Structures are given as structure tokens and as C-alpha cells.
Amino acid sequence: MIFADKLISLRKKAGWSQEELAERLSVTRQSVSKWEGAQSFPDIGKIVHLSQLFGVSTDYLLKDEMEQVDSTPCNESAESVPALRRVTMEQASEYLSLRRAAAPRLALATFLCVVSPTALLMLSALSEAGRIAMPENAAAGFGLLILLALVAAGVILFLSSASKVKDYEYLDKESFETEYGVEGMVRERQRDFRETYNRLNIVGTTLCILSAMPLFASMALSASEVLLIAGVCLLLFIAACGCVAFVYGGVQQSAMQRLLEEGAYSRRIKARGSIRAAFSVTYWLIVTAIFLVYTFGPSGNAQPSSGWIIWAVAGVLYGAVAAIMGIIERGAYKQ
């Protein structure tokens, strides 16, 4: 085992990211990355510092033929550290390919779920205003069928994408080590994707900000209720397009972060457990339940056209809560 492999193994067993190790050594993350990629070698002072940090001898770090660590990092007994699952280059490449292929499907699934209420809102508004020859209850029924069909299609896409990477679920839950060369390969792909990822985030953010403009414009012009509902539907459509940009880039970026065990997928975050995914599912299920109860409540009078405010308020609150959760999660990562 060469020095680069030993450094990667010791760092991951300690549960440190490259940034955290770099801070302890007073060097840049790029320096640590070059050491682990066998592109450069630390000076003797850093070797001594590394031996002290990880509780190993300098001989172990310097001599390729030495495979056994003298002692376990972080003052833990060897018996207390379970063997880590090893990710090969072939597995890492396959996982990245699967997530890249899944990105457009997941983006489409998200789009379908976000725009699913639009048919219900529009049909109900048109029926109530007498613009279409359809009773209000029938319009609400057809709209609800379309809503359920779109959500079902989105769920099918989510589940089919998840099933393809079922063998890699441990990347989200367990600590692991990677075969030599995997980290360098993933970081190279991450660098190549960075410009695209930043561009997608800019587009997504801009669309989400602009999505409220149709609703505000219809309110400012004192438009009819039909046009007001149309503004809400357009809001959801534009926001859905923004979500497509976020999801398309985020799926690929998060796949690389999983393999690098960085950001929200660092070992510390895994140990604490992330509640964001569970929160998102629960939140929107509750919002949908509130909307359905309000629309088809005990009174028996369907009133979906006036329930648009529930989606507008829910969207604003979700953005605020998600931002707070992101800040808390990043704070936990830095601790």
C-alpha cells in the first residue's frame, strides 16, 4: 500500500473530510488532494504531524511494504473499528452513470408533482365562472383525477430510479473506503461538472424568484378570479421549471458528494442522520391533505378555486424552512 492509499484510509477512518485534515495540518485542501492522488508528497514535518494525528509511526507512512498500522487513529482500539465496505473503480463509475441517467427522470418527476394541482385549480375556476359547460363538482372531480395521475406518474419515476441504485443505498447510511484512484476520478468529474452545476443553480434560483410575478401582476391589475387562478398556475409552472434545474444538477452533484463523503454525506452527518428527505415528503403530504380537506370537507361544497392560497403559503413556508434546515445541517457538518 502506497502513502496515498494509507492517507485516504486513515483520514476516512478518522471521519475527516479533506478540508478538516487540511485545517489540522495548516495546509490547503488542494495539497491534501494532491497527496491522496499521488501527485505530490508532504515534507518530513507534515509526515511527523500526520503520524501524531493518526497515531501511527512515520515508518508506516513512509514505507510502502508496511501494511499494518501500529495503533488505531483517534485513540480507539482496533477491535472497536469495524471493517469498512470498499468501493471499487468499476462500482463508482457505474453509480455515477446510473445517477446521471436518472437525473432527467427525477427532474421530470419533480416537475409533474409541482404542477399537479394546476388542472384542478383551473378547471374549478373556469366552471365556477361559467367559462366551461361543466358542473363545479364534475370539474373538481376531473381536476382531482389529473392531479392524482400526475402524482402517480411522478412517484413511479421516483421509485424506478431508486430501484436502479438499490445496491448502493449504503452510500447514504454507512461509512466506506474507496479503491485507489476512485477519489481522483470523482474529483475530476466534479471539476468538469462545476460550471454546469453553477449555471443550473443560477437558472433555478432565477426562475423560482420570478415565479411569483404572474400572481403579483394579476393581483395588482385586480384581475378576475379566473386570471388570478391562472397566475397561480403559471407560478407553479415556472417554479416547477426552476425545480427541474435544481434536481437535474443536484442529483449528479450529490452522487459525487456521496462517493467523496463530503457535505451533507460526510460521516458525521450520516452518523447524526439527515431528516430533510423525510421532512419534505411529510410536509407536502400534509399540505395536500389540508387542501383536500378544505376542498372536499364536511360541508360537501367543493371549493378548490379558493384553495390556491394554501399552495402559495405552503411554497413560501417550505422555502424558508428548507433554508433553515440547510443552515443547521451545514453547521452540524462544520462542528
Side-chain angles (χ1 to χ4, degrees):
M1 184 184 292
I2 65 174
F3 170 77
D5 287 336
K6 293 175 183 177
L7 181 58
I8 292 172
S9 177
L10 290 169
R11 174 177 63 79
K12 290 194 171 184
K13 285 181 180 178
W16 298 337
S17 65
Q18 287 188 338
E19 289 83 355
E20 290 172 317
L21 178 58
E23 288 179 5
R24 287 171 168 81
L25 294 171
S26 299
V27 298
T28 63
R29 186 199 63 77
Q30 287 75 15
S31 295
V32 175
S33 179
K34 288 181 179 180
W35 296 344
E36 294 186 351
Q39 298 174 357
S40 65
F41 198 84
D43 58 40
I44 190 62
K46 299 303 180 189
I47 290 292
V48 173
H49 198 170
L50 284 168
S51 70
Q52 294 171 345
L53 280 176
F54 294 121
V56 298
S57 68
T58 55
D59 281 347
Y60 169 73
L61 294 173
L62 294 171
K63 296 180 180 179
D64 292 349
E65 64 272 14
M66 291 188 65
E67 300 296 334
Q68 296 297 323
V69 185
D70 298 285
S71 60
T72 305
C74 303
N75 298 321
E76 294 180 1
S77 63
E79 293 78 8
S80 67
V81 181
L84 297 179
R85 194 190 297 246
R86 191 172 183 83
V87 179
T88 66
M89 179 69 76
E90 182 181 1
Q91 290 172 326
S93 298
E94 181 186 30
Y95 177 71
L96 291 177
S97 297
L98 289 172
R99 298 313 287 168
R100 185 168 59 250
R105 293 197 298 271
L106 293 172
L108 175 60
T110 303
F111 178 87
L112 293 176
C113 290
V114 175
V115 302
S116 61
T118 56
L120 175 60
L121 294 173
M122 235 14 252
L123 285 174
S124 299
L126 291 172
S127 175
E128 186 176 347
R131 302 289 181 86
I132 56 176
M134 183 183 295
E136 291 184 28
N137 287 340
F142 279 115
L144 185 59
L145 288 175
I146 296 173
L147 182 152
L148 294 175
L150 292 177
V151 171
V155 170
I156 290 172
L157 288 172
F158 280 127
L159 293 178
S160 63
S161 297
S163 66
K164 294 181 185 298
V165 291
K166 189 173 181 62
D167 292 340
Y168 296 97
E169 287 182 346
Y170 66 89
L171 296 178
D172 289 334
K173 305 171 184 177
E174 303 175 16
S175 298
F176 57 88
E177 60 182 12
T178 54
E179 189 178 71
Y180 176 68
V182 169
E183 184 163 351
M185 178 272 290
V186 176
R187 290 201 179 279
E188 182 178 355
R189 293 198 185 188
Q190 197 175 48
R191 285 193 296 270
D192 294 339
F193 185 66
R194 183 174 296 130
E195 184 177 347
T196 301
Y197 179 65
N198 291 336
R199 186 164 56 248
L200 288 169
N201 276 337
I202 291 172
V203 170
T205 301
T206 302
L207 289 175
C208 287
I209 292 173
L210 297 178
S211 64
M213 290 183 64
L215 176 59
F216 292 155
S218 59
M219 294 173 66
L221 296 174
S222 301
S224 64
E225 185 174 354
V226 172
L227 290 179
L228 189 63
I229 299 300
V232 174
C233 294
L234 191 55
L235 179 154
L236 291 174
F237 179 82
I238 297 174
C241 292
C243 290
V244 166
F246 283 133
V247 173
Y248 185 81
V251 168
Q252 298 179 70
Q253 177 71 5
S254 63
M256 291 181 278
Q257 286 186 324
R258 284 183 175 91
L259 289 171
L260 296 172
E261 292 191 290
E262 291 183 346
Y265 306 97
S266 68
R267 293 189 178 183
R268 292 185 179 183
I269 297 296
K270 287 180 185 178
R272 298 182 184 205
S274 176
I275 62 171
R276 182 178 295 196
F279 166 77
S280 298
V281 173
T282 305
Y283 180 88
W284 289 111
L285 286 175
I286 292 175
V287 170
T288 303
I290 292 174
F291 176 77
L292 292 176
V293 170
Y294 175 80
T295 303
F296 306 100
S299 62
N301 296 320
Q303 45 188 356
S305 60
S306 59
W308 64 267
I309 189 65
I310 295 175
W311 298 102
V313 173
V316 173
L317 289 179
Y318 178 79
V321 175
I324 293 172
M325 290 182 67
I327 294 172
I328 294 173
E329 202 168 65
R330 286 193 294 272
Y333 166 66
K334 292 179 180 178
Q335 289 178 358

